[in-house]
């Protein structure tokens, strides 16, 4: 959180396969370039790690918006919603499917998608019409749920939260052991189940 707004020009990581084969592609592309890719003149193939970095930054923004207080500015919520939607819409077709051509799961991309669905739930569920039963079992995964006034219609917030929860549920059905995925996936599953 302290380093959140510190500018960085560190190049973003390459794809896992290139790294594992000791063929890391040297890139001069930074987080700034990734965030402004819509304005770029040329198409650049971003790595799964780059998308995970962006997903974590967006999740951080959602979490930061929840910690200040329970009053949310309509523009802030809409801006976060646009960031979440923009992430998913800007993914190239090769990064939308978690299963690679050889049938393996791109675990870094899996984590990026999971983070985005989790962030969608965190943003929209408190503003939805989904019943909150309180939190009888406070855990690291469930703390910080806020009750907030809806910015969009409650039906829109509800729809977005349910869609994200369904996507996380689909991710649990992939043909790989859950132990292969990031440990954070258990928190995302918990939030989707709630």
């Amino acid at each position: 959180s302290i380093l959140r707004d510190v500018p960085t020009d560190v190049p973003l990581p390459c794809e896992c396969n290139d790294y594992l084969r000791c063929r890391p592609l040297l890139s001069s592309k930074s987080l700034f370039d990734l965030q402004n890719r819509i304005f770029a003149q040329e198409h650049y193939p971003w790595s799964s790690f780059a998308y995970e970095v962006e997903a974590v930054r967006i999740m951080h923004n959602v979490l930061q918006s929840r910690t200040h207080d329970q009053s949310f500015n309509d523009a802030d919520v809409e801006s976060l919603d646009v960031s979440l939607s923009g992430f998913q819409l800007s993914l190239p077709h090769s990064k939308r499917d978690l299963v690679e051509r050889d049938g393996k799961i791109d675990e870094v991309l899996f984590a990026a998608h999971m983070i985005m669905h989790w962030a969608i739930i965190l943003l929209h569920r408190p503003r939805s019409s989904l019943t909150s039963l309180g939190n009888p079992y406070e855990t690291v995964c469930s703390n910080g749920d806020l009750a907030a006034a809806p910015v969009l219609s409650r039906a829109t917030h509800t729809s977005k939260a349910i869609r994200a929860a369904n996507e996380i549920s689909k991710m649990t059905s992939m043909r790989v052991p859950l132990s292969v995925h990031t440990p954070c996936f258990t928190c995302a599953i918990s939030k989707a189940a709630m």
Side-chain angles (χ1 to χ4, degrees):
S1 158
I2 295 171
L3 299 176
R4 176 180 168 212
D5 296 320
V6 174
T8 178
D9 59 355
V10 176
L12 289 169
C14 63
E15 292 289 358
C16 288
N17 290 336
D18 292 328
Y19 180 80
L20 292 173
R21 292 184 184 126
C22 296
R23 298 183 323 197
L25 301 174
L26 298 177
S27 167
S28 61
K29 301 291 185 181
S30 68
L31 181 61
F32 177 81
D33 297 318
L34 177 65
Q35 291 172 324
N36 293 290
R37 66 187 174 274
I38 194 165
F39 305 112
Q41 297 295 323
E42 78 282 348
H43 169 74
Y44 181 80
W46 298 97
S47 70
S48 297
F49 271 115
Y51 289 113
E52 186 175 17
V53 167
E54 184 178 34
V56 169
R57 297 272 302 182
I58 294 170
M59 171 69 114
H60 178 66
N61 290 339
V62 169
L63 291 172
Q64 285 296 107
S65 75
R66 297 162 44 88
T67 57
H68 296 303
D69 57 28
Q70 290 192 17
S71 62
F72 289 85
N73 178 322
D74 288 3
D76 292 340
V77 174
E78 287 177 15
S79 175
L80 288 167
D81 185 46
V82 167
S83 294
L84 291 161
S85 298
F87 175 88
Q88 294 173 321
L89 293 173
S90 69
L91 286 174
H93 290 289
S94 63
K95 299 291 183 185
R96 291 183 185 179
D97 192 2
L98 300 176
V99 181
E100 297 175 343
R101 289 183 179 163
D102 60 3
K104 293 182 181 174
I105 305 288
D106 180 341
E107 287 297 328
V108 175
L109 193 59
F110 181 95
H113 281 268
M114 180 262 314
I115 290 165
M116 294 310 295
H117 295 310
W118 189 358
I120 290 168
I121 292 170
L122 292 175
L123 181 66
H124 293 291
R125 185 180 171 274
R127 295 166 183 80
S128 72
S129 60
L130 297 171
T131 304
S132 176
L133 301 174
N135 193 5
Y137 305 105
E138 185 73 26
T139 67
V140 172
C141 299
S142 63
N143 65 358
D145 283 345
L146 301 175
V151 172
L152 306 169
S153 73
R154 283 207 186 271
T156 301
H157 287 296
T158 302
S159 173
K160 289 182 180 202
I162 289 173
R163 192 175 318 124
N166 286 338
E167 289 301 317
I168 289 174
S169 295
K170 286 182 200 173
M171 294 172 86
T172 64
S173 67
M174 294 188 166
R175 294 181 175 224
V176 294
L178 289 177
S179 60
V180 172
H181 301 309
T182 172
C184 294
F185 191 45
T186 57
C187 284
I189 293 169
S190 166
K191 191 58 78 173
M194 287 174 37

